[in-house]
Amino acid sequence: MQDELIARAQAWLAEDPDAETREELAKLIDAGDHAELAARFGGTLQFGTAGLRGELGAGPMRMNRSVVIRAAAGLAADLKSKGQGDGLVVIGYDARHKSADFARDTAAVMTGAGLRAAVLPRPLPTPVLAFAIRHLGAVAGVEVTASHNPPRDNGYKVYLGDGSQIVPPADAEIAAEIDAVTTLTAVPRPESGWEVLDDSVLDAYLARTDAVLSDGSPRTARTVYTAMHGVGKDVLLAAFARAGFPAPVLVAEQAEPDPDFPTVAFPNPEEPGAMDLAFAQARATDPDLVIANDPDADRCAVAVKDGADWRMLRGDEVGALLATHLVHRGVSGTFAESIVSSSLLGRIAEKAGLPYEETLTGFKWIARVDGLRYGYEEALGYCVDPDGVRDKDGITAALLITELASQLKSEGRTLLDLLDDLAVEHGLHATDQLSVRVEDLSVIANAMRRLREEPPTRLAGLPVTRSEDLTKGTDKLPPTDGLRYTLDGARVVVRPSGTEPKLKCYLEVVVPVGSHADLPGARAQAAERLAAIKRDLSEAAGI
């Protein structure tokens, strides 16, 4: 067994085009580190609807140039099999370790396969790549990014020609072509032949960002902004300047791209401590709101002053605020969200007489809703211009929430005042999450099995009126690995994360509110009920 493991590692080493991972793997082989070799060669990174994502390093279970070349060859073969062998593939990348190398390898593979390839001019936000696909009439796009994952990770996200991310069966079809790549020597990789785009695509994207705002709207809200060591700063500043907003005050320590993300444990605005420097800057400069992008700038976090200090709004709160702003502007079209997001959006759409759709988790599903006008997901993702970017976009979302804050400021009001109004109008929709990060994935599998075998009948004293195993699908949703519990005045969805080693449980309670005077009591009741649901669900799942 160990001899076979060493043989597999040596065969991989012989083909590896990267000096860094060759050296790393050679040391493991020389040291006879069978445990580490088994971890790297015990399978392959699975290509799915999230593309690829994993830790950087040598071997088929890590992200590296060999894995990326195989993935690119599989994508090229899939495109050719569908009669798109002369089409254009646009490639973008972030500022993580190896991202530029992975982008260049992808361009070389596409060129070698007879497709046309174009690479964005430098590390840029993911929404610029999503825009470029539609703008340039490409047959596919690739974004090299691990979004808000830890510094040691990278990833490979694939888009189709409509500018949205892949969904089944495209993922399985591409995966089959990847599996068919037997050796890297069979993959032509010329040294040139692809195009490196100039700034005209970025300029077209920025011109499009103006369209998300209303002509003549107030543009007075002052912001503090953090790029979270990612690629958002220059594009966001350019968009804000074009729009005529005051220049955001930058969190200097996090403003420039840095693949080591030195000031945060996880470069995700939702993680504890990630916003500490932004809040410190806000205390010093007293802006109207704080805005954060994640490292590839497809997500947008918003924080506001609440009493004496600052707090981050939940994604569901921002989702409802943006929806309300669009309704007040008189937009038409479908509002959509995923099943893990707050049901408040449905109530807002219903009252406005707008179509509403619920989808599986992920913008790959939200982007496919017919007639989409606005879509959001609780994990800080918002699509406010689906005709331009059919994906979440942290730049245009930042513009739109700053316009709303400016409008409210002109009325002597704040985002929190509008959230209070929504609670009185539709009931207080309070959300929370029970999220468990694991080292051992069997913990997640065991929790899901336990909940399936013994589904809870009561949570927080509330009877579970409906228990759904989403692996079977519903009349409106395709199958997915998830569980949904409906209670009287509450809802719970449990699912393994598609991009991180996490079990995620999404909780929502709805408390009727008679008037603004009733809000403090309703909030206390909601917080107590959420805590009880979290406690009971944790016990039921054994986590």
Side-chain angles (χ1 to χ4, degrees):
M1 188 72 176
Q2 289 184 351
D3 289 346
E4 182 188 333
L5 186 62
I6 293 291
R8 285 212 308 275
Q10 287 173 333
W12 185 276
L13 179 65
E15 287 192 348
D16 191 339
D18 188 287
E20 195 174 327
T21 46
R22 276 202 312 274
E23 180 182 355
E24 177 188 315
L25 184 53
K27 285 180 179 175
L28 291 174
I29 295 170
D30 291 344
D33 191 340
H34 296 111
E36 184 62 24
L37 288 171
R40 291 162 181 253
F41 287 87
T44 59
L45 275 185
Q46 291 303 299
F47 185 92
T49 56
L52 293 166
R53 198 176 290 189
E55 187 176 343
L56 289 162
M61 288 294 288
R62 298 287 185 267
M63 283 296 296
N64 50 65
R65 290 182 60 199
S66 298
V67 164
V68 164
I69 289 165
R70 282 179 165 81
L75 174 59
D78 181 70
L79 292 170
K80 290 171 79 171
S81 75
K82 291 169 180 167
Q84 297 177 315
D86 60 350
L88 172 68
V89 178
V90 190
I91 302 148
Y93 59 104
D94 66 12
R96 284 177 178 263
H97 293 296
K98 298 290 184 182
S99 286
D101 293 340
F102 295 168
R104 186 184 186 281
D105 282 332
T106 301
V109 171
M110 294 301 160
T111 303
L115 288 125
R116 292 177 293 127
V119 185
L120 293 182
R122 58 186 171 279
L124 286 168
T126 292
V128 177
L129 181 275
F131 168 82
I133 295 165
R134 291 163 71 89
H135 180 68
L136 297 173
V139 297
V142 171
E143 176 69 18
V144 180
T145 182
S147 189
H148 55 276
N149 274 38
R152 65 179 182 271
D153 289 0
N154 213 327
Y156 198 81
K157 188 184 291 189
V158 176
Y159 292 76
L160 300 178
D162 62 357
S164 61
Q165 297 173 50
I166 55 169
V167 295
D171 58 335
E173 292 163 355
I174 296 168
E177 295 286 5
I178 295 171
D179 290 343
V181 179
T182 54
T183 170
L184 290 192
T185 57
V187 181
R189 300 199 315 278
E191 290 294 316
S192 62
W194 57 89
E195 179 183 4
V196 176
L197 296 164
D198 60 19
D199 276 354
S200 59
V201 169
L202 176 59
D203 292 342
Y205 167 82
L206 285 168
R208 177 98 200 170
T209 63
D210 299 348
V212 305
L213 304 174
S214 296
D215 288 341
S217 62
R219 310 277 169 95
T220 57
R222 295 177 303 107
T223 56
V224 160
Y225 172 71
T226 175
M228 206 68 69
H229 298 297
V231 298
K233 181 198 72 172
D234 291 345
V235 178
L236 183 130
L237 290 181
F240 269 56
R242 289 179 65 101
F245 287 114
V249 175
L250 299 178
V251 179
E253 302 95 324
Q254 299 174 332
E256 300 303 327
D258 187 331
D260 294 319
F261 304 102
T263 69
V264 290
F266 289 95
N268 177 356
E270 293 179 294
E271 294 283 349
M275 295 289 286
D276 287 357
L277 289 171
F279 290 163
Q281 183 65 269
R283 292 181 197 110
T285 55
D286 196 30
D288 297 298
L289 69 166
V290 174
I291 289 173
N293 286 138
D294 67 339
D296 69 327
D298 62 350
R299 297 168 195 248
C300 176
V302 179
V304 295
K305 197 166 188 181
D306 189 1
D309 208 354
W310 289 80
R311 79 164 174 96
M312 206 170 94
L313 295 178
R314 291 190 169 277
D316 285 317
E317 292 177 307
V318 177
L321 288 168
L322 291 175
T324 302
H325 186 40
L326 291 170
V327 165
H328 288 163
R329 281 175 33 181
V331 304
S332 59
T334 302
F335 280 20
E337 64 180 340
S338 65
I339 57 171
V340 300
S341 304
S342 170
S343 59
L344 178 56
L345 183 68
R347 301 200 180 186
I348 292 169
E350 182 182 17
K351 179 144 192 190
L354 293 173
Y356 165 77
E357 291 286 340
E358 220 178 26
T359 75
L360 292 184
T361 310
F363 264 83
K364 56 185 175 281
W365 297 107
I366 293 171
R368 286 181 157 69
V369 169
D370 285 342
L372 181 68
R373 177 56 186 85
Y374 169 66
Y376 97 91
E377 189 155 68
E378 54 73 45
L380 312 183
Y382 315 95
C383 174
V384 302
D385 178 25
D387 289 340
V389 176
R390 213 153 186 85
D391 196 8
K392 54 188 178 290
D393 183 345
I395 306 297
T396 49
L399 287 171
L400 199 60
I401 198 71
T402 308
E403 179 184 58
L404 173 57
S406 300
Q407 176 68 49
L408 291 166
K409 185 178 181 180
S410 72
E411 301 165 5
R413 285 159 43 82
T414 68
L415 295 175
L416 292 179
D417 292 327
L418 182 52
L419 284 172
D420 287 349
D421 293 349
L422 290 173
V424 172
E425 185 175 3
H426 301 288
L428 177 67
H429 289 61
T431 57
D432 200 357
Q433 191 178 126
L434 171 62
S435 181
V436 182
R437 185 182 292 274
V438 301
E439 293 290 331
D440 180 0
L441 290 177
S442 69
V443 173
I444 294 175
N446 290 337
M448 294 297 288
R449 187 182 68 251
R450 181 167 166 164
L451 289 171
R452 285 193 169 102
E453 291 174 355
E454 296 182 52
T457 56
R458 298 180 77 84
L459 293 169
L462 301 171
V464 176
T465 57
R466 190 177 185 193
S467 181
E468 298 170 275
D469 187 343
L470 299 175
T471 52
K472 300 165 185 172
T474 71
D475 55 345
K476 291 189 174 179
L477 298 171
T480 189
D481 186 9
L483 301 162
R484 178 164 60 180
Y485 305 116
T486 304
L487 304 90
D488 185 18
R491 182 220 64 201
V492 174
V493 177
V494 183
R495 60 178 281 272
S497 170
T499 56
E500 299 176 89
K502 276 184 177 182
L503 180 68
K504 291 184 155 186
C505 310
Y506 305 84
L507 323 176
E508 178 178 43
V509 300
V510 183
V511 180
V513 180
S515 69
H516 282 77
D518 298 324
L519 279 168
R523 287 201 176 93
Q525 182 182 341
E528 185 180 323
R529 191 164 290 172
L530 283 169
I533 291 174
K534 191 183 286 193
R535 182 187 63 241
D536 292 353
L537 184 65
S538 180
E539 184 178 333
I543 52 176

